[in-house]
């Protein structure tokens, strides 16, 4: 699956659009359209395409786009604690 | 505009044209033509990127998360930060694999290295980049570089913490700047994680040898150190949370 992410570094995730694997070209065109529009309006959001087998996988490998700093920090301890279970 | 599309595919701009585009991007406030040119350049990495992801998926049965093209903002920041040319940026396209621990990381890095024998390997575990630890392999596929990041789950947690801190507090945090306490705490966390992972790795190696009487004491000592390292890491995470709340209040 292809994920088009619009992300404001301060505010967090603005929008997430999902595309099928077969729609790469559409996704790239859409990414460019959004970026050009943001540029015309003088807005500095990040617009990026990511690919993953599922949204769940994406949220695991790119948590920055989906979680707050507090949640990420708290999860640091959880991640270490969970090592016991391996 | 570079690389205007033709029915048979994209035109190939010269290296000089691409680097001149990079020079313009460095100045900030790119115009539409430059954004389109950069997008074309980004898309030129697609075949190489797809080949890398497909190889990892098919030959290693892993599911990397891929980034077919680095964001414009990240490219511009990198050009300014590292004083490099656009054609020298080696992570325009890339993918990320997160594995459980260092034993798994060693294995996956070796396997990926076997698939792409000419890939350069940047081992940030021994030489962290401002605290960032991971292993990056960068194969060249049909003249295009693709960056493969292999992180353990703990290296990944740290990486995400650092990136998010840079997003919401100060972008310089990722590169040694930003508020002293945040930066120092992240470095300290990185060091604690390294200690933890090194111990875990040594325990795993010992267990592979079989727990014989003569190494039982050593194993117990390692496990006690591991518990202390975990506690230290949890405390530092808590301190970081408290500090972040103070900074943002």
């Amino acid at each position: 699956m292809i994920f088009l992410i619009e992300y404001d570094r301060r505010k967090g995730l603005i929008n997430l659009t999902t595309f099928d694997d077969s729609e790469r070209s559409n996704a790239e065109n859409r990414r460019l359209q959004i970026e050009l529009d943001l540029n015309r309006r003088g807005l500095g959001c990040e617009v990026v395409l990511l690919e993953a087998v599922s949204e769940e996988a994406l949220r695991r490998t790119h948590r920055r786009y989906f979680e707050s700093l507090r949640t990420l920090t708290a999860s640091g301890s959880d991640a270490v604690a969970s090592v016991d279970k391996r | 505009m570079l690389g205007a599309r033709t029915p048979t595919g994209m035109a190939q701009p010269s290296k000089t044209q691409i680097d001149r585009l990079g020079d313009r991007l460095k100045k900030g406030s790119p115009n539409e033509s430059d954004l389109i040119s950069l997008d074309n350049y980004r898309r030129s990495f697609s075949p190489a990127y797809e080949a890398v992801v497909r190889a990892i998926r098919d030959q290693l049965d892993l599911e990397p998360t891929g980034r077919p093209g680095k964001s414009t903002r990240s490219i511009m920041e990198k050009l300014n930060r590292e004083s490099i040319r656009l054609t020298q940026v080696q992570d325009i396209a890339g993918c990320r694999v997160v594995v459980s621990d260092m034993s798994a990381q060693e294995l996956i890095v070796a396997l990926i290295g076997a698939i792409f024998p000419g890939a350069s390997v940047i081992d940030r575990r021994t030489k962290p980049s401002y605290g960032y630890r991971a292993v990056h392999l960068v194969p060249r596929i049909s003249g295009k570089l693709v960056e493969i990041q292999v992180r353990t789950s703990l290296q990944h947690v740290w990486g995400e913490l650092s990136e998010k801190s840079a997003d919401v507090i100060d972008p310089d945090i990722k590169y040694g700047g930003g508020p002293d306490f945040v930066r120092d705490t992240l470095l300290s966390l990185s060091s604690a994680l390294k200690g933890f992972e090194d111990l875990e790795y040594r325990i795993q190696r010992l267990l592979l040898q079989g727990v014989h009487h003569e190494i039982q004491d050593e194993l117990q000592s390692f496990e006690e150190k591991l518990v202390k390292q975990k506690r230290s890491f949890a405390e530092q995470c808590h301190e970081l949370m408290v500090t972040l709340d103070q900074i943002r209040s």
Side-chain angles (χ1 to χ4, degrees):
Chain A
M1 294 174 76
I2 300 171
F3 302 91
L4 173 58
I5 291 177
E6 295 167 62
Y7 176 72
D8 182 297
R9 290 181 179 182
R10 293 275 172 168
K11 296 176 188 168
L13 183 71
I14 305 292
N15 202 19
L16 174 69
T17 310
T18 307
F19 296 83
D20 253 2
D21 287 343
S22 59
E23 297 180 279
R24 166 79 75 75
S25 188
N26 285 349
E28 285 173 340
N29 291 342
R30 184 73 191 120
R31 194 211 69 81
L32 179 61
Q33 271 175 4
I34 292 171
E35 185 169 73
L36 291 174
D37 180 56
L38 288 170
N39 195 54
R40 281 179 209 120
R41 294 193 281 147
L43 298 172
C45 285
E46 212 159 315
V47 191
V48 66
L49 283 180
L50 295 172
E51 296 183 1
V53 66
S54 65
E55 185 175 324
E56 187 193 343
L58 178 71
R59 285 178 180 267
R60 246 189 341 262
T61 59
H62 287 76
R63 298 170 66 179
R64 159 194 177 216
Y65 292 114
F66 302 100
E67 297 182 42
S68 69
L69 185 52
R70 201 166 217 286
T71 310
L72 282 173
T73 312
S75 76
S77 298
D78 296 342
V80 170
S82 73
V83 169
D84 266 340
K85 299 182 175 70
R86 295 209 284 254
Chain B
M1 184 190 309
L2 303 179
R5 290 184 193 79
T6 68
T8 55
M10 287 183 273
Q12 292 287 331
S14 69
K15 200 161 166 291
T16 304
Q17 286 177 307
I18 295 167
D19 286 335
R20 281 191 189 143
L21 169 62
D23 290 340
R24 294 195 297 276
L25 290 172
K26 271 190 208 183
K27 292 176 185 164
S29 306
N31 60 32
E32 280 204 9
S33 175
D34 283 343
L35 287 176
I36 293 168
S37 295
L38 180 61
D39 194 58
N40 287 335
Y41 180 59
R42 201 187 269 121
R43 294 194 205 202
S44 73
F45 284 77
S46 289
Y49 159 81
E50 284 166 18
V52 165
V53 171
R54 192 167 46 244
I56 293 173
R57 199 173 276 154
D58 294 349
Q59 297 187 47
L60 301 183
D61 205 25
L62 294 172
E63 288 291 352
T65 298
R67 188 199 60 209
K70 199 174 178 73
S71 73
T72 298
R73 185 164 172 181
S74 295
I75 290 172
M76 289 168 65
E77 287 172 350
K78 190 168 190 122
L79 291 172
N80 278 305
R81 185 177 64 245
E82 297 183 21
S83 298
I84 55 174
R85 297 188 295 274
L86 182 52
T87 51
Q88 292 176 310
V89 175
Q90 62 182 25
D91 61 341
I92 298 284
C95 62
R96 179 177 294 165
V97 177
V98 180
V99 299
S100 56
D101 55 35
M102 274 183 61
S103 290
Q105 188 177 39
E106 291 280 292
L107 176 62
I108 297 301
V109 166
L111 290 173
I112 293 176
I115 297 173
F116 305 109
S120 57
V121 179
I122 302 110
D123 191 340
R124 293 273 178 222
R125 297 172 303 179
T126 50
K127 286 187 183 175
S129 171
Y130 304 105
Y132 173 71
R133 296 173 59 249
V135 181
H136 291 185
L137 298 100
V138 188
R140 185 182 292 272
I141 312 289
S142 304
K144 297 292 189 185
L145 297 173
V146 179
E147 180 183 85
I148 305 166
Q149 296 177 355
V150 183
R151 298 177 175 181
T152 65
S153 54
L154 292 180
Q155 290 163 8
H156 181 58
V157 162
W158 189 95
E160 295 273 27
L161 260 180
S162 172
E163 288 222 27
K164 193 70 179 182
S165 298
D167 283 349
V168 302
I169 299 172
D170 189 324
D172 289 341
I173 283 171
K174 271 175 71 175
Y175 306 104
D180 288 349
F181 186 78
V182 176
R183 190 192 60 239
D184 291 346
T185 303
L186 282 169
L187 285 175
S188 184
L189 274 171
S190 173
S191 183
L193 276 177
K194 180 183 186 313
F196 179 89
E197 288 198 311
D198 284 349
L199 273 172
E200 186 187 43
Y201 186 68
R202 286 164 79 180
I203 289 171
Q204 286 168 341
R205 304 295 290 179
L206 276 174
L207 289 173
L208 276 176
Q209 291 170 32
V211 184
H212 303 297
H213 178 73
E214 59 269 23
I215 61 170
Q216 190 111 18
D217 290 344
E218 198 175 357
L219 184 64
Q220 190 171 340
S221 166
F222 281 159
E223 286 180 327
E224 283 164 8
K225 285 180 191 167
L226 200 63
V227 167
K228 283 185 188 160
Q229 289 279 8
K230 276 191 192 179
R231 204 172 292 139
S232 164
F233 182 76
E235 282 166 1
Q236 288 181 70
C237 277
H238 178 73
E239 273 181 44
L240 182 61
M241 271 199 295
V242 166
T243 304
L244 292 171
D245 283 344
Q246 286 169 352
I247 288 173
R248 296 172 71 186
S249 63

mmCIF file of all heavy atoms in Angstrom, chain A residues 9-37:
data_model
loop_
_atom_site.group_PDB
_atom_site.id
_atom_site.type_symbol
_atom_site.label_atom_id
_atom_site.label_comp_id
_atom_site.label_asym_id
_atom_site.label_seq_id
_atom_site.Cartn_x
_atom_site.Cartn_y
_atom_site.Cartn_z
ATOM 1 N N ARG A 9 5.314 19.685 11.041
ATOM 2 C CA ARG A 9 6.225 19.233 12.090
ATOM 3 C C ARG A 9 5.794 19.669 13.481
ATOM 4 O O ARG A 9 6.019 18.968 14.460
ATOM 5 C CB ARG A 9 7.656 19.713 11.800
ATOM 6 C CG ARG A 9 8.255 18.989 10.613
ATOM 7 C CD ARG A 9 9.657 19.424 10.311
ATOM 8 N NE ARG A 9 10.192 18.682 9.181
ATOM 9 C CZ ARG A 9 11.423 18.831 8.716
ATOM 10 N NH1 ARG A 9 12.244 19.687 9.283
ATOM 11 N NH2 ARG A 9 11.834 18.130 7.674
ATOM 12 N N ARG A 10 5.177 20.806 13.566
ATOM 13 C CA ARG A 10 4.736 21.274 14.893
ATOM 14 C C ARG A 10 3.404 20.665 15.288
ATOM 15 O O ARG A 10 3.187 20.272 16.422
ATOM 16 C CB ARG A 10 4.607 22.798 14.888
ATOM 17 C CG ARG A 10 5.923 23.530 14.747
ATOM 18 C CD ARG A 10 6.566 23.697 16.089
ATOM 19 N NE ARG A 10 7.913 24.238 15.988
ATOM 20 C CZ ARG A 10 8.597 24.690 17.035
ATOM 21 N NH1 ARG A 10 8.068 24.681 18.217
ATOM 22 N NH2 ARG A 10 9.813 25.153 16.868
ATOM 23 N N LYS A 11 2.490 20.629 14.313
ATOM 24 C CA LYS A 11 1.119 20.226 14.661
ATOM 25 C C LYS A 11 0.899 18.722 14.552
ATOM 26 O O LYS A 11 -0.002 18.168 15.159
ATOM 27 C CB LYS A 11 0.119 20.930 13.741
ATOM 28 C CG LYS A 11 0.108 22.442 13.884
ATOM 29 C CD LYS A 11 -0.841 23.069 12.874
ATOM 30 C CE LYS A 11 -0.702 24.583 12.877
ATOM 31 N NZ LYS A 11 -1.389 25.201 11.735
ATOM 32 N N GLY A 12 1.695 18.053 13.717
ATOM 33 C CA GLY A 12 1.502 16.625 13.541
ATOM 34 C C GLY A 12 0.862 16.293 12.210
ATOM 35 O O GLY A 12 0.902 17.079 11.263
ATOM 36 N N LEU A 13 0.236 15.117 12.166
ATOM 37 C CA LEU A 13 -0.346 14.632 10.923
ATOM 38 C C LEU A 13 -1.520 15.516 10.497
ATOM 39 O O LEU A 13 -2.433 15.751 11.275
ATOM 40 C CB LEU A 13 -0.828 13.191 11.106
ATOM 41 C CG LEU A 13 -1.407 12.516 9.871
ATOM 42 C CD1 LEU A 13 -0.305 12.217 8.863
ATOM 43 C CD2 LEU A 13 -2.131 11.226 10.249
ATOM 44 N N ILE A 14 -1.468 15.967 9.252
ATOM 45 C CA ILE A 14 -2.560 16.771 8.711
ATOM 46 C C ILE A 14 -3.520 15.882 7.929
ATOM 47 O O ILE A 14 -4.737 15.991 8.046
ATOM 48 C CB ILE A 14 -2.029 17.887 7.774
ATOM 49 C CG1 ILE A 14 -0.995 18.759 8.499
ATOM 50 C CG2 ILE A 14 -3.154 18.715 7.197
ATOM 51 C CD1 ILE A 14 -1.565 19.595 9.621
ATOM 52 N N ASN A 15 -2.939 15.016 7.109
ATOM 53 C CA ASN A 15 -3.783 14.165 6.275
ATOM 54 C C ASN A 15 -3.033 12.893 5.871
ATOM 55 O O ASN A 15 -1.811 12.922 5.680
ATOM 56 C CB ASN A 15 -4.207 14.927 5.013
ATOM 57 C CG ASN A 15 -5.462 14.351 4.393
ATOM 58 O OD1 ASN A 15 -6.218 13.632 5.055
ATOM 59 N ND2 ASN A 15 -5.677 14.623 3.118
ATOM 60 N N LEU A 16 -3.777 11.814 5.775
ATOM 61 C CA LEU A 16 -3.211 10.538 5.313
ATOM 62 C C LEU A 16 -4.127 10.005 4.217
ATOM 63 O O LEU A 16 -5.316 9.807 4.452
ATOM 64 C CB LEU A 16 -3.138 9.547 6.477
ATOM 65 C CG LEU A 16 -2.712 8.123 6.133
ATOM 66 C CD1 LEU A 16 -1.247 8.080 5.734
ATOM 67 C CD2 LEU A 16 -2.966 7.174 7.309
ATOM 68 N N THR A 17 -3.574 9.817 3.050
ATOM 69 C CA THR A 17 -4.359 9.266 1.933
ATOM 70 C C THR A 17 -3.725 7.950 1.529
ATOM 71 O O THR A 17 -2.506 7.839 1.434
ATOM 72 C CB THR A 17 -4.329 10.230 0.723
ATOM 73 O OG1 THR A 17 -4.673 11.539 1.162
ATOM 74 C CG2 THR A 17 -5.328 9.790 -0.342
ATOM 75 N N THR A 18 -4.574 6.970 1.289
ATOM 76 C CA THR A 18 -4.074 5.631 0.949
ATOM 77 C C THR A 18 -4.316 5.326 -0.516
ATOM 78 O O THR A 18 -5.369 5.665 -1.070
ATOM 79 C CB THR A 18 -4.812 4.589 1.815
ATOM 80 O OG1 THR A 18 -4.688 4.978 3.182
ATOM 81 C CG2 THR A 18 -4.212 3.218 1.648
ATOM 82 N N PHE A 19 -3.317 4.692 -1.126
ATOM 83 C CA PHE A 19 -3.443 4.270 -2.525
ATOM 84 C C PHE A 19 -3.072 2.792 -2.604
ATOM 85 O O PHE A 19 -2.257 2.291 -1.814
ATOM 86 C CB PHE A 19 -2.477 5.052 -3.430
ATOM 87 C CG PHE A 19 -2.745 6.530 -3.506
ATOM 88 C CD1 PHE A 19 -2.273 7.397 -2.533
ATOM 89 C CD2 PHE A 19 -3.471 7.066 -4.568
ATOM 90 C CE1 PHE A 19 -2.509 8.766 -2.598
ATOM 91 C CE2 PHE A 19 -3.706 8.430 -4.654
ATOM 92 C CZ PHE A 19 -3.231 9.278 -3.659
ATOM 93 N N ASP A 20 -3.608 2.143 -3.618
ATOM 94 C CA ASP A 20 -3.194 0.767 -3.927
ATOM 95 C C ASP A 20 -1.780 0.780 -4.485
ATOM 96 O O ASP A 20 -1.339 1.785 -5.040
ATOM 97 C CB ASP A 20 -4.109 0.218 -5.030
ATOM 98 C CG ASP A 20 -5.065 -0.778 -4.451
ATOM 99 O OD1 ASP A 20 -5.029 -1.001 -3.225
ATOM 100 O OD2 ASP A 20 -5.846 -1.335 -5.235
ATOM 101 N N ASP A 21 -1.108 -0.362 -4.418
ATOM 102 C CA ASP A 21 0.239 -0.461 -4.989
ATOM 103 C C ASP A 21 0.269 -0.106 -6.475
ATOM 104 O O ASP A 21 1.254 0.393 -6.991
ATOM 105 C CB ASP A 21 0.791 -1.889 -4.825
ATOM 106 C CG ASP A 21 1.163 -2.165 -3.376
ATOM 107 O OD1 ASP A 21 1.310 -1.192 -2.605
ATOM 108 O OD2 ASP A 21 1.296 -3.352 -3.010
ATOM 109 N N SER A 22 -0.845 -0.388 -7.137
ATOM 110 C CA SER A 22 -0.888 -0.153 -8.588
ATOM 111 C C SER A 22 -1.051 1.329 -8.931
ATOM 112 O O SER A 22 -0.994 1.712 -10.093
ATOM 113 C CB SER A 22 -2.052 -0.945 -9.205
ATOM 114 O OG SER A 22 -3.266 -0.530 -8.602
ATOM 115 N N GLU A 23 -1.279 2.156 -7.919
ATOM 116 C CA GLU A 23 -1.577 3.571 -8.169
ATOM 117 C C GLU A 23 -0.388 4.480 -7.888
ATOM 118 O O GLU A 23 -0.563 5.657 -7.539
ATOM 119 C CB GLU A 23 -2.754 4.011 -7.292
ATOM 120 C CG GLU A 23 -4.060 3.278 -7.583
ATOM 121 C CD GLU A 23 -5.169 3.776 -6.673
ATOM 122 O OE1 GLU A 23 -5.240 3.317 -5.505
ATOM 123 O OE2 GLU A 23 -5.953 4.619 -7.114
ATOM 124 N N ARG A 24 0.801 3.960 -8.009
ATOM 125 C CA ARG A 24 1.998 4.749 -7.665
ATOM 126 C C ARG A 24 2.041 6.074 -8.425
ATOM 127 O O ARG A 24 2.305 7.124 -7.853
ATOM 128 C CB ARG A 24 3.260 3.932 -7.964
ATOM 129 C CG ARG A 24 4.553 4.718 -7.977
ATOM 130 C CD ARG A 24 5.083 4.993 -6.571
ATOM 131 N NE ARG A 24 5.655 3.821 -5.992
ATOM 132 C CZ ARG A 24 6.841 3.320 -6.346
ATOM 133 N NH1 ARG A 24 7.559 3.906 -7.272
ATOM 134 N NH2 ARG A 24 7.284 2.235 -5.768
ATOM 135 N N SER A 25 1.790 6.009 -9.708
ATOM 136 C CA SER A 25 1.860 7.220 -10.522
ATOM 137 C C SER A 25 0.836 8.254 -10.047
ATOM 138 O O SER A 25 1.153 9.449 -9.908
ATOM 139 C CB SER A 25 1.631 6.836 -11.982
ATOM 140 O OG SER A 25 1.868 7.959 -12.795
ATOM 141 N N ASN A 26 -0.382 7.802 -9.768
ATOM 142 C CA ASN A 26 -1.412 8.714 -9.242
ATOM 143 C C ASN A 26 -0.963 9.335 -7.927
ATOM 144 O O ASN A 26 -1.162 10.528 -7.686
ATOM 145 C CB ASN A 26 -2.730 7.956 -8.965
ATOM 146 C CG ASN A 26 -3.473 7.626 -10.224
ATOM 147 O OD1 ASN A 26 -3.129 8.132 -11.296
ATOM 148 N ND2 ASN A 26 -4.485 6.785 -10.125
ATOM 149 N N ALA A 27 -0.402 8.486 -7.087
ATOM 150 C CA ALA A 27 0.041 8.963 -5.770
ATOM 151 C C ALA A 27 1.131 10.020 -5.921
ATOM 152 O O ALA A 27 1.125 11.057 -5.243
ATOM 153 C CB ALA A 27 0.544 7.789 -4.931
ATOM 154 N N GLU A 28 2.063 9.769 -6.823
ATOM 155 C CA GLU A 28 3.150 10.727 -7.044
ATOM 156 C C GLU A 28 2.605 12.037 -7.615
ATOM 157 O O GLU A 28 3.041 13.130 -7.225
ATOM 158 C CB GLU A 28 4.203 10.130 -7.988
ATOM 159 C CG GLU A 28 5.075 9.077 -7.315
ATOM 160 C CD GLU A 28 6.001 8.356 -8.287
ATOM 161 O OE1 GLU A 28 5.730 8.368 -9.514
ATOM 162 O OE2 GLU A 28 6.991 7.772 -7.812
ATOM 163 N N ASN A 29 1.663 11.923 -8.538
ATOM 164 C CA ASN A 29 1.067 13.135 -9.116
ATOM 165 C C ASN A 29 0.343 13.936 -8.037
ATOM 166 O O ASN A 29 0.419 15.170 -7.985
ATOM 167 C CB ASN A 29 0.095 12.774 -10.243
ATOM 168 C CG ASN A 29 0.798 12.217 -11.466
ATOM 169 O OD1 ASN A 29 2.007 12.391 -11.643
ATOM 170 N ND2 ASN A 29 0.056 11.535 -12.319
ATOM 171 N N ARG A 30 -0.361 13.231 -7.185
ATOM 172 C CA ARG A 30 -1.131 13.890 -6.121
ATOM 173 C C ARG A 30 -0.172 14.569 -5.143
ATOM 174 O O ARG A 30 -0.418 15.683 -4.696
ATOM 175 C CB ARG A 30 -1.991 12.839 -5.398
ATOM 176 C CG ARG A 30 -2.898 13.404 -4.333
ATOM 177 C CD ARG A 30 -4.074 14.172 -4.914
ATOM 178 N NE ARG A 30 -4.751 14.903 -3.846
ATOM 179 C CZ ARG A 30 -4.898 16.237 -3.823
ATOM 180 N NH1 ARG A 30 -4.423 16.976 -4.820
ATOM 181 N NH2 ARG A 30 -5.506 16.820 -2.817
ATOM 182 N N ARG A 31 0.929 13.881 -4.835
ATOM 183 C CA ARG A 31 1.939 14.455 -3.933
ATOM 184 C C ARG A 31 2.459 15.776 -4.503
ATOM 185 O O ARG A 31 2.561 16.778 -3.795
ATOM 186 C CB ARG A 31 3.102 13.473 -3.726
ATOM 187 C CG ARG A 31 4.022 13.830 -2.551
ATOM 188 C CD ARG A 31 5.456 13.388 -2.783
ATOM 189 N NE ARG A 31 6.066 14.183 -3.826
ATOM 190 C CZ ARG A 31 6.572 15.412 -3.633
ATOM 191 N NH1 ARG A 31 6.566 15.966 -2.448
ATOM 192 N NH2 ARG A 31 7.090 16.062 -4.659
ATOM 193 N N LEU A 32 2.770 15.750 -5.769
ATOM 194 C CA LEU A 32 3.303 16.959 -6.401
ATOM 195 C C LEU A 32 2.261 18.078 -6.413
ATOM 196 O O LEU A 32 2.577 19.230 -6.102
ATOM 197 C CB LEU A 32 3.759 16.641 -7.829
ATOM 198 C CG LEU A 32 4.313 17.837 -8.632
ATOM 199 C CD1 LEU A 32 5.545 18.419 -7.953
ATOM 200 C CD2 LEU A 32 4.637 17.414 -10.071
ATOM 201 N N GLN A 33 1.023 17.727 -6.723
ATOM 202 C CA GLN A 33 -0.051 18.742 -6.741
ATOM 203 C C GLN A 33 -0.175 19.426 -5.389
ATOM 204 O O GLN A 33 -0.289 20.651 -5.302
ATOM 205 C CB GLN A 33 -1.398 18.069 -7.004
ATOM 206 C CG GLN A 33 -1.797 17.928 -8.429
ATOM 207 C CD GLN A 33 -3.098 17.136 -8.543
ATOM 208 O OE1 GLN A 33 -3.735 16.755 -7.548
ATOM 209 N NE2 GLN A 33 -3.493 16.863 -9.758
ATOM 210 N N ILE A 34 -0.180 18.620 -4.347
ATOM 211 C CA ILE A 34 -0.322 19.170 -2.992
ATOM 212 C C ILE A 34 0.859 20.068 -2.675
ATOM 213 O O ILE A 34 0.706 21.176 -2.135
ATOM 214 C CB ILE A 34 -0.434 18.039 -1.945
ATOM 215 C CG1 ILE A 34 -1.756 17.285 -2.129
ATOM 216 C CG2 ILE A 34 -0.345 18.607 -0.526
ATOM 217 C CD1 ILE A 34 -1.859 16.026 -1.298
ATOM 218 N N GLU A 35 2.047 19.620 -3.036
ATOM 219 C CA GLU A 35 3.243 20.402 -2.722
ATOM 220 C C GLU A 35 3.229 21.739 -3.481
ATOM 221 O O GLU A 35 3.570 22.782 -2.915
ATOM 222 C CB GLU A 35 4.496 19.614 -3.101
ATOM 223 C CG GLU A 35 5.785 20.317 -2.676
ATOM 224 C CD GLU A 35 6.989 19.421 -2.816
ATOM 225 O OE1 GLU A 35 7.418 19.179 -3.968
ATOM 226 O OE2 GLU A 35 7.504 18.962 -1.782
ATOM 227 N N LEU A 36 2.835 21.692 -4.735
ATOM 228 C CA LEU A 36 2.775 22.936 -5.511
ATOM 229 C C LEU A 36 1.744 23.884 -4.914
ATOM 230 O O LEU A 36 1.969 25.095 -4.818
ATOM 231 C CB LEU A 36 2.432 22.629 -6.980
ATOM 232 C CG LEU A 36 3.528 21.910 -7.780
ATOM 233 C CD1 LEU A 36 3.025 21.534 -9.184
ATOM 234 C CD2 LEU A 36 4.782 22.770 -7.905
ATOM 235 N N ASP A 37 0.622 23.326 -4.493
ATOM 236 C CA ASP A 37 -0.425 24.157 -3.902
ATOM 237 C C ASP A 37 0.062 24.794 -2.593
ATOM 238 O O ASP A 37 -0.145 25.986 -2.350
ATOM 239 C CB ASP A 37 -1.667 23.293 -3.640
ATOM 240 C CG ASP A 37 -2.783 24.105 -3.018
ATOM 241 O OD1 ASP A 37 -3.176 25.128 -3.623
ATOM 242 O OD2 ASP A 37 -3.262 23.732 -1.931
#
